[in-house]
Amino acid sequence: KLDGRATYRFFEPEMDARMQARRRLELDMRQALARREFQLHYQPQLQLEGDRLVGCEALIRWQHPVRGMVSPLDFIPLAEEIGLIVPIGEWVMRQACRDAAGWPAPLSVAVNVSPAQFKSERLVEMVMSALAASGLPATRLEVEITEGVLLHESERTLQTLHRLRELGVRVSMDDFGTGYSSLSYLRSFPFDKIKIDRSFVSDLTGAGKGAGKGAGKGDGEAIIRAIAGLGRSLGMTTVAEGVETADQLERIRAEGCTDVQGYLISRPIPAAEVLAFIAAR
Ligand code: C2E
Ligand code: MG
Ligand code: MG
Ligand code: MG
C-alpha cells in the first residue's frame, strides 16, 4: 500500500528471504577458499575381479563455521552459477593430486570437473600444473564429467577432452543414464569409464522387479545389464555407483559390471584416513 496505487511488487517476502539466504551463502563461499574451509573426502572404488582397490573419488566438503558440514549438492550448483567453481575446482584438482601422490601406485584419484571449468581456457594447463606440482603421473588421474559438459558439445570441449587424454588422464562419464542423451555422448568421445547412476542400483533393492513402485521402477537390473554389455563392447570400464547392500553387489557382479563404489565398500572418508583404509585392505 505504501507503494501507492497500481504498483507491482516483484518479490514475495519469502522469495526475498530465499534471495538473502542465497546471497549470504555466496558471500560465505567467496571467503571459504581463503579461510581453508574446504576439505576433500575420498570414496574407494573396487574392481570386482580380484576384489582389488583401484582408486578413490575425491568429493568436496565444506566445513562452514556456523552451518557445519555443507553438502556439495547445496553449494556446487551455486558455485557453478557464479563462476566460483573455477577457483574451487582448481583447489580440488591440486589437493587431490597432492593427496593421491602419497598413495601407493597404481591407485588413482578421480576428480569431478564441472561444465563451467570446461569453459575456462586454462583447464588443461591447470591440470598439467597440478600433476607437475604433485608429482602424480597423469595415468593415475581420472576426470569425471557429467552430461552437462557435453550438452553444448562444442569443438573446444572435445578438444579439451582429447588433450587431457593425450596427457594420459582418463575420462569417465558420471551419472550415466540420467541425462537426455547419455547414449549419444558415448559416440562423441571415447570414454574410459562409464559410471552407472546410483538410481539404477537402488532400483535393485527390495522386492524385486516391478514391485509396484510405478512405471520404470524395478527395471534397474535390465538397465544395468545393458550398460555393462555396452561397456564391454566399447572396451570401457563400468562402475556401479551407490552400492549399499551385499545383495546389490551380487546382482551387479552377475550383470557384468567391472567395478563398484558405494557405502557397502566404504563411505567417503577424510583424506587423512585413506592410507589406513588402503593398508587395512
Ligand atoms: P557424484 O560425482 O556422482 O558422487 C557420488 C555421490 O554419491 C557422492 O555424494 C557420494 O557421497 C554419494 N554416494 C556414494 N556412495 C553412495 C551410496 O552407497 N549411497 C548413497 N546414498 N550415496 C552414495 P556427495 O559427496 O554428496 O557429492 C554429490 C555430488 O556433488 C557429486 O556426485 C558431484 O556431482 C558433486 N561434487 C562433489 N565433489 C565435487 C567437486 O570437487 N567438484 C565438482 N564439480 N562436483 C563435486
Ligand atoms: Mg563423480
Ligand atoms: Mg555419480
Ligand atoms: Mg551425481
Side-chain angles (χ1 to χ4, degrees), residues 37-45 55-63 69-73 75-76 85 88-89 91-93 95-97 99 103 108-113 142 144 146 174-175 195 198 241-242 261-263 266-272 274:
E37 290 167 4
F38 292 119
Q39 304 168 11
L40 292 183
H41 281 197
Y42 289 96
Q43 187 174 38
Q45 298 181 333
C56 297
E57 176 176 6
L59 295 160
I60 195 170
R61 299 289 180 262
W62 180 8
Q63 183 64 55
M69 207 61 109
V70 186
S71 156
L73 297 173
F75 69 90
I76 292 286
I85 193 65
I88 294 175
W91 176 83
V92 171
M93 183 62 72
Q95 188 62 42
C97 289
D99 287 339
W103 307 341
S108 61
V109 68
V111 176
N112 294 286
V113 179
E142 207 174 286
E144 293 192 4
T146 54
D174 205 351
D175 303 344
K195 299 191 74 177
R198 180 153 62 80
E241 294 193 272
Q261 184 179 343
Y263 292 171
S266 170
R267 292 195 170 243
I269 52 180
V274 174

Side-chain angles (χ1 to χ4, degrees), residues 87-271:
I88 294 175
E90 174 162 357
W91 176 83
V92 171
M93 183 62 72
R94 292 184 181 280
Q95 188 62 42
C97 289
R98 215 176 303 148
D99 287 339
W103 307 341
L107 290 183
S108 61
V109 68
V111 176
N112 294 286
V113 179
S114 290
Q117 292 176 267
F118 274 83
K119 293 202 189 91
S120 132
E121 302 272 355
R122 314 183 36 249
L123 181 63
V124 177
E125 284 67 31
M126 185 275 278
V127 169
M128 289 172 69
S129 161
L131 289 168
S134 63
L136 185 76
T139 51
R140 290 174 57 196
L141 175 65
E142 207 174 286
V143 161
E144 293 192 4
I145 66 170
T146 54
E147 177 171 299
V149 170
L150 293 167
L151 204 56
H152 307 288
E153 204 185 294
S154 69
E155 256 331 290
R156 195 162 88 213
T157 301
L158 290 178
Q159 203 185 333
T160 302
L161 288 171
H162 283 290
R163 284 181 67 199
L164 288 172
R165 169 65 70 65
E166 279 157 23
L167 295 175
V169 175
R170 276 165 295 148
V171 182
S172 307
M173 167 113 276
D174 205 351
D175 303 344
F176 186 82
T178 54
Y180 283 104
S181 35
S182 298
L183 272 180
S184 74
Y185 293 126
L186 287 184
R187 218 172 45 175
S188 54
F189 186 78
F191 290 91
D192 296 279
K193 193 184 263 191
I194 301 172
K195 299 191 74 177
I196 304 172
D197 191 69
R198 180 153 62 80
S199 57
F200 300 111
V201 176
S202 57
D203 231 16
L204 293 174
T205 317
K209 207 170 155 60
K213 287 200 258 165
K217 298 283 182 180
D219 290 332
E221 197 149 6
I223 293 172
I224 290 172
R225 185 182 316 144
I227 301 175
L230 191 65
R232 254 194 317 278
S233 313
L234 296 171
M236 298 174 187
T237 303
T238 43
V239 191
E241 294 193 272
V243 178
E244 295 182 352
T245 68
D247 181 52
Q248 289 170 345
L249 179 67
E250 281 332 301
R251 298 212 219 173
I252 280 157
R253 198 190 293 277
E255 300 311 346
C257 288
T258 62
D259 295 34
V260 289
Q261 184 179 343
Y263 292 171
L264 180 69
I265 317 305
S266 170
R267 292 195 170 243
I269 52 180

